Amino acid sequence: MSSKEELFLLIRRDSWRDGLSVRALARKYGVHRRLVREALCSAVPPPRRTPRRHSPRLEPFKKTIDQWLLDDLEAPPKQRHTVQRILARLRQELGAEIAYSTVWDYVHRRRQEISEAAGAAPAAGFVIRHNQPGMDAEVDFGEAWVDLAGERTKCYLFAFRLAYSGKAVHRITTSCAQEAFLDGHVHAFRTLGGIPAGQIRYDNLSPAVTRVIRKSRSRDEHPRWHDFRLHYSITPFYCEPGLRGAHEKGGVEGQVGYWRRNYLTPVPRVDSLDELNDAFIAFEQAEKNRRIGMRIRTIGQDFTHEAPLLLPLPGEPFETGLAFNPRVDRYGMVAVRVCRYSVPVRYIGRTVHVLLRSNEVVVFHGRTEIARHARLTTKGAERLVLDHFLEVLLAKPGALAGSEALDQARRAGTFTPAHEAFWSAAKRTLGESDGTKALVHVLLLHRHLQHRDVVAGIQAALAAGACTADVVALEARKAAESEGRSPTVTVTVPLPEPVAPPELPLPSLTERRTARLPPDQRALPALERWDQLLHHRPGRDPR
């Protein structure tokens, strides 16, 4: 209760209990008699009247401002007057000297009044949508920054949200291209254990839509996206372009911001995006106990009811990576999307098959995987693996010291201080060239021995004063056998899915030859007396 309401209550009580007059009550409480009469008439104090401010400097220009605001009703939305523009025109064209706050107060009030007087459309309202379990979902991309391997990198957060339960699946990548768009769907379907049976709402993403047909919900879809959604039985719903359609998938629009504020703040520091995506799994588990808004049940409880109603996943997977067939240049590199990646030098001059996925690049020769790299994000960047160039370095040992492959191996930690010590000892013992060749032979051991075993073998060989690859190999095997395991590396190479060749119609030579001939007008032959020819004797007329 406010102080004025308490004063009114005291005045009314004294008047009723003690019968004091208006003058006596005014003298007792030190107020005007008019206030006493107001208190006796009503227990609720009248609202305080806000005085209407007058602006004599603005008065001569009000009609001009009103006309500008009226003209704005027919102007494009992005080319209408702002307060700053109105103030600039008043100063430049009419020489007015008015404060910004004065113009803002007037324009803020008059813009709405003029719009209503002109019969403009009222503010758009919203209708609450009824979401059925297992039916609808929403998809969106959002930006996020990550300190990736010590470098601040702009990444993209893919969010897939079920409309009924609010269960959301997230995946972060360095690209928002089509391969990341498709890979996000596959990850979401596997995590949820099924596919929504209703519509999935999208804005007009370029990985899915190539052209928006105006004044229509129809879209020209990207062929690869069309094949993908048919494979997974997806029914898309494309929202209106721009801000007009943002409310049509407001759940996932808010989800991206919620995830960024709660799980990507402060900026995460990771060595790889796989590490961050693995952390997302734990974050999503924690979200099961959260209640959205004023809902009674949690996200996990609603999803338990929704999960059995999702459509089952197809039996065959869909390759989300984009396929390229570049040729390996003389530097042992292949170019993929303005970035370059190394492959073993024995494939120089050959055409290889590359799968560009959201976070990795896989290179095949035939059906054999020959290289796998983390995807690069910077234009013109290069990723080199020292092991790919060892055959060339045996013939050109002097090129090792200044090579980019060695520099990247040092930064990645695969070329350890033990390798550096062995190289220095080998060069002192065998000379510059032969010592480098001995190091290359040691590096070749990594192809069939465990990395830690080779490092242990190098340390044992240095302790014994030996600088040969044979001693390193022997000591590496001893280190593995001492722990009761095999030192040999067992590599399981996944094979890519075979791609069926396109079905093309075979040309018919007969059709090509007869296409230019005139039509045959002759009557069909009569075959009624065909059997008589079986008894025909040579030299005798069958008739």
Side-chain angles (χ1 to χ4, degrees):
M1 182 180 295
S2 65
S3 59
K4 194 170 184 180
E5 290 177 346
E6 293 178 356
L7 177 62
F8 272 42
L9 180 61
L10 294 174
I11 292 173
R12 292 171 64 86
R13 186 193 61 184
D14 291 349
S15 174
W16 171 76
R17 186 182 61 185
D18 302 331
L20 298 178
S21 65
V22 173
R23 184 183 298 274
L25 291 171
R27 188 182 302 110
K28 178 179 181 180
Y29 291 103
V31 296
H32 198 277
R33 292 191 298 274
R34 183 172 55 252
L35 182 64
V36 174
R37 294 188 182 97
E38 290 180 357
L40 296 177
C41 293
S42 174
V44 179
R48 184 175 182 179
R49 292 180 295 179
T50 303
R52 188 166 183 175
R53 299 177 60 186
H54 297 280
S55 52
R57 289 192 178 186
L58 185 63
E59 195 67 32
F61 310 106
K62 287 184 177 180
K63 291 185 178 180
T64 304
I65 297 175
D66 290 349
Q67 185 60 43
W68 290 346
L69 296 176
L70 186 62
D71 294 340
D72 279 350
L73 297 177
E74 300 180 359
K78 293 186 178 181
Q79 292 178 256
R80 295 177 181 175
H81 284 83
T82 62
V83 176
Q84 185 64 40
R85 179 55 182 160
I86 291 175
L87 181 60
R89 289 190 65 183
L90 290 175
R91 291 175 176 176
Q92 295 171 3
E93 300 176 12
L94 303 176
E97 291 296 334
I98 308 173
Y100 176 87
S101 59
T102 303
V103 179
W104 188 94
D105 291 339
Y106 181 76
V107 172
H108 179 71
R109 175 175 55 85
R110 287 295 292 161
R111 194 190 297 274
Q112 183 67 25
E113 295 174 353
I114 291 174
S115 177
E116 293 177 356
F126 298 93
V127 178
I128 298 177
R129 188 177 65 191
H130 174 66
N131 298 311
Q132 299 181 4
M135 295 298 292
D136 297 339
E138 300 168 343
V139 169
D140 197 18
F141 264 115
E143 297 180 357
W145 290 88
V146 176
D147 287 340
L148 184 60
E151 181 179 355
R152 181 146 299 184
T153 306
K154 182 179 180 180
C155 299
Y156 298 90
L157 178 65
F158 174 89
F160 187 101
R161 182 181 184 273
L162 294 175
Y164 174 77
S165 63
K167 170 70 174 178
V169 181
H170 308 82
R171 191 165 184 82
I172 194 165
T173 59
T174 55
S175 168
C176 61
Q178 189 180 68
E179 57 273 14
F181 181 65
L182 301 183
D183 184 62
H185 280 79
V186 174
H187 172 69
F189 294 154
R190 289 176 180 172
T191 303
L192 298 173
I195 305 168
Q199 295 177 336
I200 301 180
R201 294 176 175 258
Y202 304 91
D203 51 20
N204 301 280
L205 297 165
S206 57
V209 175
T210 58
R211 185 170 71 94
V212 177
I213 300 177
R214 297 184 61 185
K215 299 180 180 180
S216 172
R217 290 286 184 177
S218 301
R219 303 289 188 268
D220 287 343
E221 296 181 336
H222 194 285
R224 185 168 175 80
W225 162 246
H226 180 76
D227 296 340
F228 179 86
R229 72 175 187 82
L230 290 181
H231 182 82
Y232 284 97
S233 302
I234 295 175
T235 303
F237 177 89
Y238 299 109
C239 302
E240 292 188 36
L243 294 177
R244 294 179 302 167
H247 67 278
E248 294 183 333
K249 56 179 184 64
V252 75
E253 293 277 355
Q255 179 67 29
V256 172
Y258 170 84
W259 196 262
R260 192 163 42 209
R261 291 188 300 271
N262 289 273
Y263 296 106
L264 295 177
T265 301
V267 177
R269 298 180 179 180
V270 292
D271 294 330
S272 67
L273 288 183
D274 291 336
E275 178 183 344
L276 186 56
N277 282 318
D278 291 341
F280 279 2
I281 298 176
F283 298 158
E284 290 165 358
Q285 290 293 328
E287 285 290 299
K288 288 184 176 182
N289 298 323
R290 182 170 68 93
R291 287 180 173 86
I292 299 176
M294 300 179 66
R295 295 185 183 183
I296 300 175
R297 296 178 297 274
T298 64
I299 294 176
Q301 291 170 341
D302 281 338
F303 180 68
T304 302
H305 174 60
E306 186 174 25
L309 302 177
L310 298 174
L311 297 178
L313 296 174
E316 297 181 358
F318 188 96
E319 176 54 61
T320 59
L322 297 183
F324 299 92
N325 294 297
R327 186 178 181 183
V328 183
D329 62 18
R330 60 179 180 175
Y331 299 100
M333 308 283 287
V334 292
V336 183
R337 287 274 180 90
V338 301
C339 295
R340 303 176 70 208
Y341 305 87
S342 67
V343 299
V345 292
R346 59 182 177 276
Y347 297 101
I348 289 178
R350 300 185 184 183
T351 300
V352 294
H353 180 68
V354 176
L355 283 179
L356 177 64
R357 293 173 176 160
S358 58
N359 285 331
E360 65 177 0
V361 175
V362 189
V363 186
F364 297 91
H365 182 261
R367 293 178 61 84
T368 304
E369 180 182 322
I370 61 175
R372 184 183 292 262
H373 301 273
R375 180 170 177 170
L376 298 172
T377 59
T378 307
K379 183 178 180 180
E382 296 180 340
R383 180 65 56 81
L384 293 86
V385 177
L386 182 59
D387 180 75
H388 293 165
F389 303 94
L390 297 181
E391 288 82 358
V392 174
L393 293 175
L394 281 176
K396 301 178 179 180
L400 176 61
S403 65
E404 176 67 20
L406 178 61
D407 181 70
Q408 292 194 14
R410 283 170 172 162
R411 285 181 287 165
T414 56
F415 195 83
T416 64
H419 293 86
E420 299 278 7
F422 181 89
W423 192 11
S424 300
K427 286 190 292 185
R428 288 194 303 268
T429 304
L430 305 175
E432 188 78 23
S433 178
D434 291 340
T436 303
K437 288 183 179 180
L439 173 66
V440 174
H441 283 293
V442 170
L443 294 175
L444 287 170
L445 296 176
H446 288 280
R447 295 184 177 179
H448 57 274
L449 297 177
Q450 297 282 352
H451 178 81
R452 57 176 177 173
D453 295 336
V454 175
V455 173
I458 292 174
Q459 295 171 345
L462 291 175
C467 296
T468 62
D470 294 337
V471 176
V472 173
L474 179 61
E475 295 296 334
R477 294 183 180 278
K478 287 182 179 179
E481 291 173 356
S482 64
E483 298 180 3
R485 55 183 175 81
S486 173
T488 306
V489 178
T490 303
V491 181
T492 303
V493 180
L495 299 180
E497 294 294 327
V499 180
E503 297 181 0
L504 300 176
L506 297 177
S508 174
L509 297 179
T510 304
E511 293 179 359
R512 291 180 58 185
R513 291 172 179 172
T514 59
R516 301 179 181 178
L517 297 178
D520 190 0
Q521 303 294 341
R522 295 176 298 175
L524 294 176
L527 303 178
E528 291 83 0
R529 296 190 294 173
W530 174 263
D531 294 340
Q532 296 182 11
L533 297 177
L534 298 176
H535 307 289
H536 173 61
R537 296 178 181 178
R540 183 177 178 183
D541 188 358
R543 294 177 294 179

